[in-house]
């Protein structure tokens, strides 16, 4: 659509402040930002909307406009009483159309109008093979869901069809798909050198939306060979991408509020009513517990945000933003436990290993008090810093871990950890492999029971004399005494390095 068409929408009541001669520009998307340098988050041809909360004077106006690049136009919101003259001058000098929106028209109304228009434009005359393009586009325009859209395509082609996330989460599907199969599809999608591709007899087709990394994208899986049903699959991917853009417009607004909350907390001047107010705006409740998560993954903070957002769904979707080069999320624990969330994050992260070299996660403890939010975020950042010291592809440290000996172990270089562990436990592993014994498992059980002979023998379902023989053999092979405190500590540390 063109800017001129947007201005003809009476319910938007947009007014032109600069660029009256540039109204034939094409609008190819829409985004919302209040970052002082939004260049990384906006794309050429987008209609960019801002509340002007970044504005501090003429220098900020010039800096903001310069960072916009080749966007279609700028729309100012209502955070200030009026559009500053210096912003009008900066837009005029840059040849950027500047529009203003009435107080009673929210950004979401503009977003909805633009995306509906873009979706409608896809309803161009159909190719001979399929007559459903306009019908598919109208599915979304008329308020239909992604599920209806995918079902319409599946019915048209008489095949199964799914939209899948890179963690193997089924976003929508025309029929059930086993979870393990969805995970295998996701791993193939992430590791594939070329796409479209195939896995488990299904074709995999990427949903291109200008994602900063494949791991931040969704994909289509459908019954058929790559290239089969190409016209309709390409059309479906484009429509799913537009619908996802519409959903993400709301996320951008949430992230802006979270950015403001983080800035408030970091200033050290955060009044409790202000904190509570922003938590309510984000629909983040502390009544059943709240924790913070900090993560890094991939080449940029944008990818880290996309990865953490995906990892949290659908168990405990939180609000995620980028802060100081990492992704930060506040996660309410309604109906879940911290242990459930930790296990969920680890499962998803291990699926994503196929597409990333490293995923590092730090989790705070749990609080029910908004007043403790600043300390919660600091604890998550510290846990993340400790996780970054680890050498494994997926590294996760919780607030509880940060106060244990695991903290010291994580700080030890990987080669030194492996050397210490192999020297102490290697003889036991070799002996078990050669004689089909369970010395290593016996050692773990003995230490787990704090050296209690009777409890260990009962847990292993062996006689105490058998246990005594095994422990003596462990001491002979390792040169360490299990009756001494130092010996037991050495074994505990070595087992923690596995």
């Amino acid at each position: 659509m063109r800017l001129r068409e947007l201005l003809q929408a009476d319910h938007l009541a947009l007014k032109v402040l600069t660029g009256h001669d540039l109204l034939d520009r094409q609008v190819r998307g829409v985004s919302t930002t209040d970052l002082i340098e939004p260049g990384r988050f906006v794309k050429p041809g987008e209609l960019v909307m801002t509340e002007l909360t970044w504005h501090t004077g003429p220098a900020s106006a010039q800096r903001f406009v310069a960072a916009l690049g080749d966007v279609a136009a700028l729309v100012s919101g209502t955070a200030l009483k009026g559009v500053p003259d210096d912003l009008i001058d900066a837009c005029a000098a840059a040849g950027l159309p500047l529009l203003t929106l009435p107080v009673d028209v929210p950004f979401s109304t503009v977003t909805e109008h633009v995306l509906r228009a873009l979706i409608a434009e896809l309803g161009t005359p159909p190719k001979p093979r399929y007559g459903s393009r306009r019908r598919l586009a109208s599915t979304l325009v008329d308020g239909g869901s992604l599920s209806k859209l995918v079902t319409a395509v599946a019915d048209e082609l008489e095949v199964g069809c799914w939209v899948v996330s890179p963690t193997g989460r089924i976003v929508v599907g025309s029929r059930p798909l086993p979870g393990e199969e969805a995970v295998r599809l996701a791993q193939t999608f992430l590791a594939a050198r070329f796409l479209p591709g195939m896995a488990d007899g299904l074709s995999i087709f990427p949903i291109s939306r200008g994602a900063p990394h494949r791991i931040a994208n969704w994909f289509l899986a459908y019954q058929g060979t790559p290239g089969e049903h190409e016209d309709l699959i390409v059309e479906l991917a484009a429509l799913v991408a537009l619908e996802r853009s519409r959903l993400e417009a709301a996320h951008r607004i949430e992230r802006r509020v979270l950015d403001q909350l983080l800035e408030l907390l970091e200033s050290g001047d955060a009044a409790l009513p202000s904190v509570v107010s922003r938590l309510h705006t984000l629909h983040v409740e502390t009544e059943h517990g709240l924790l913070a998560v900090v993560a890094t993954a991939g080449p940029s903070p944008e990818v880290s945000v996309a990865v953490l957002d995906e990892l949290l769904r659908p168990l405990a979707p939180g609000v995620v933003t980028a802060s100081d080069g990492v992704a930060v999320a506040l996660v309410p624990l309604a109906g879940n436990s911290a242990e459930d969330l930790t296990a969920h994050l680890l499962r998803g992260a291990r699926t994503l290993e196929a597409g990333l070299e490293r995923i590092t996660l730090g989790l705070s403890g749990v609080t029910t008090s908004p007043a403790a939010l600043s300390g919660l975020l600091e604890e998550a950042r510290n846990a993340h810093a400790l996780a970054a010291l680890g050498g494994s592809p997926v590294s996760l440290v919780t607030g509880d871990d940060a106060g244990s000996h695991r903290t010291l172990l994580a700080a030890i270089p990987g080669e030194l950890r492996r050397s210490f562990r192999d020297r102490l436990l290697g003889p036991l592993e070799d002996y078990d492999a050669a004689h089909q014994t369970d010395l290593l498992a016996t050692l773990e059980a003995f230490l787990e029971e704090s050296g209690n002979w009777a409890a260990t023998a009962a847990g292993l379902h062996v006689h105490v004399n058998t246990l005594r023989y095994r422990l003596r053999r462990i001491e002979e092979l390792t040169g360490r005494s299990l009756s001494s405190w130092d010996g037991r500590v050495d074994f505990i540390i070595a087992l923690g390095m596995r």
Side-chain angles (χ1 to χ4, degrees):
M1 69 178 301
R2 299 182 185 276
L3 284 175
R4 192 179 306 281
E5 299 168 30
L6 189 63
L7 291 164
Q8 292 169 354
D10 293 337
H11 68 292
L12 299 181
L14 286 161
K15 293 184 179 180
V16 183
L17 299 183
T18 68
H20 294 78
D21 57 336
L22 300 172
L23 300 183
D24 285 325
R25 282 190 173 185
Q26 288 281 353
V27 177
R28 298 186 177 87
V30 60
S31 66
T32 303
T33 183
D34 268 293
L35 298 174
I36 184 61
E37 290 192 0
R40 294 180 301 167
F41 304 97
V42 298
K43 302 179 181 66
E46 281 191 330
L47 184 75
V48 178
M49 299 183 289
T50 179
E51 290 281 11
L52 304 177
T53 57
W54 49 265
H55 185 269
T56 57
S60 66
Q62 293 174 5
R63 182 179 173 187
F64 181 85
V65 171
L68 291 176
D70 297 324
V71 301
L74 179 65
V75 177
S76 71
T78 57
L80 305 180
K81 291 183 178 179
V83 181
D85 290 338
D86 51 56
L87 179 59
I88 297 175
D89 293 341
C91 288
L96 176 66
L98 174 61
L99 316 179
T100 185
L101 196 64
V103 175
D104 58 343
V105 179
F107 283 169
S108 58
T109 301
V110 180
T111 299
E112 181 79 12
H113 181 84
V114 171
L115 291 177
R116 282 177 176 268
L118 292 175
I119 291 171
E121 285 180 0
L122 292 173
T124 51
K127 294 185 178 181
R129 188 176 177 189
Y130 297 110
S132 56
R133 280 193 170 196
R134 187 176 297 277
R135 178 168 62 82
L136 291 182
S138 66
T139 299
L140 290 181
V141 173
D142 295 339
S145 64
L146 274 180
S147 180
K148 290 181 179 179
L149 180 66
V150 171
T151 300
V153 171
D155 291 345
E156 180 80 17
L157 301 178
E158 298 182 347
V159 299
C161 186
W162 301 266
V163 177
V164 189
S165 81
T167 59
R169 175 174 62 92
I170 302 299
V171 181
V172 294
S174 62
R175 64 183 70 164
L177 186 69
E180 61 274 11
E181 186 172 353
V183 168
R184 287 196 300 271
L185 288 171
Q187 290 172 332
T188 300
F189 167 71
L190 291 170
R193 186 175 179 184
F194 301 107
L195 290 171
M198 286 198 75
D200 289 346
L202 299 177
S203 285
I204 296 174
F205 190 93
I207 296 172
S208 177
R209 61 176 191 90
H213 193 285
R214 187 181 291 181
I215 209 160
N217 207 347
W218 288 348
F219 64 93
L220 294 174
Y222 62 95
Q223 293 172 320
T225 59
E228 191 177 3
H229 317 306
E230 182 177 3
D231 294 339
L232 206 56
I233 293 300
V234 169
E235 191 69 20
L236 174 61
L239 289 170
V240 172
L242 280 175
E243 180 66 4
R244 191 178 183 192
S245 295
R246 178 160 61 180
L247 297 173
E248 288 185 346
H251 294 329
R252 292 192 189 103
I253 296 173
E254 291 177 341
R255 286 168 185 164
R256 186 175 71 225
V257 177
L258 181 54
D259 289 338
Q260 294 171 350
L261 176 57
L262 294 179
E263 290 175 6
L264 188 65
L265 293 169
E266 289 170 4
S267 71
D269 233 358
L272 186 58
S274 297
V275 173
V276 172
S277 172
R278 284 170 171 80
L279 287 175
H280 284 315
T281 301
L282 293 169
H283 304 291
V284 172
E285 301 296 334
T286 62
E287 180 182 358
H288 301 290
L290 174 73
L291 60 75
V293 184
V294 174
T296 49
S300 67
E302 295 81 22
V303 174
S304 296
V305 167
V307 168
L308 183 53
D309 183 70
E310 176 58 39
L311 288 176
L312 289 170
R313 297 177 187 276
L315 181 70
V319 185
V320 188
T321 192
S323 175
D324 296 330
V326 298
V328 178
L330 296 178
V331 185
L333 290 177
N336 301 303
S337 67
E339 292 75 18
D340 291 337
L341 178 61
T342 300
H344 177 76
L345 288 171
L346 282 173
R347 280 195 301 271
R350 283 168 182 152
T351 300
L352 296 180
E353 279 186 61
L356 287 175
E357 291 184 4
R358 188 88 190 279
I359 302 175
T360 305
L361 296 153
L363 277 66
S364 72
V366 179
T367 187
T368 57
S369 170
L373 198 55
S374 182
L376 206 70
L377 289 163
E378 185 65 23
E379 185 176 332
R381 288 184 182 276
N382 289 338
H384 174 264
L386 291 171
L389 296 173
S392 58
V394 173
S395 183
L396 184 150
V397 172
T398 68
D400 290 339
D401 291 335
S404 76
H405 66 274
R406 294 184 183 89
T407 303
L408 297 177
L409 297 183
I412 299 172
E415 289 186 7
L416 186 56
R417 289 202 306 271
R418 286 190 294 273
S419 174
F420 180 85
R421 180 199 174 281
D422 290 346
R423 288 184 63 184
L424 193 55
L425 301 183
L428 302 183
E429 291 176 328
D430 293 343
Y431 189 90
D432 282 344
H435 299 87
Q436 303 300 305
T437 52
D438 295 306
L439 295 185
L440 193 60
T442 299
L443 173 64
E444 289 184 274
F446 182 71
L447 295 174
E448 195 67 34
E449 294 292 350
S450 302
N452 186 308
W453 290 72
T456 305
L460 293 173
H461 305 291
V462 298
H463 194 275
V464 173
N465 288 339
T466 302
L467 175 63
R468 183 177 291 108
Y469 168 79
R470 290 183 184 180
L471 295 179
R472 187 164 58 247
R473 196 78 184 107
I474 289 170
E475 291 177 329
E476 292 170 354
L477 289 169
T478 61
R480 297 292 199 281
S481 171
L482 282 166
S483 62
S484 74
W485 176 250
D486 286 347
R488 291 187 186 184
V489 168
D490 284 346
F491 282 123
I492 291 170
I493 291 174
L495 289 168
M497 292 177 174
R498 294 178 65 190

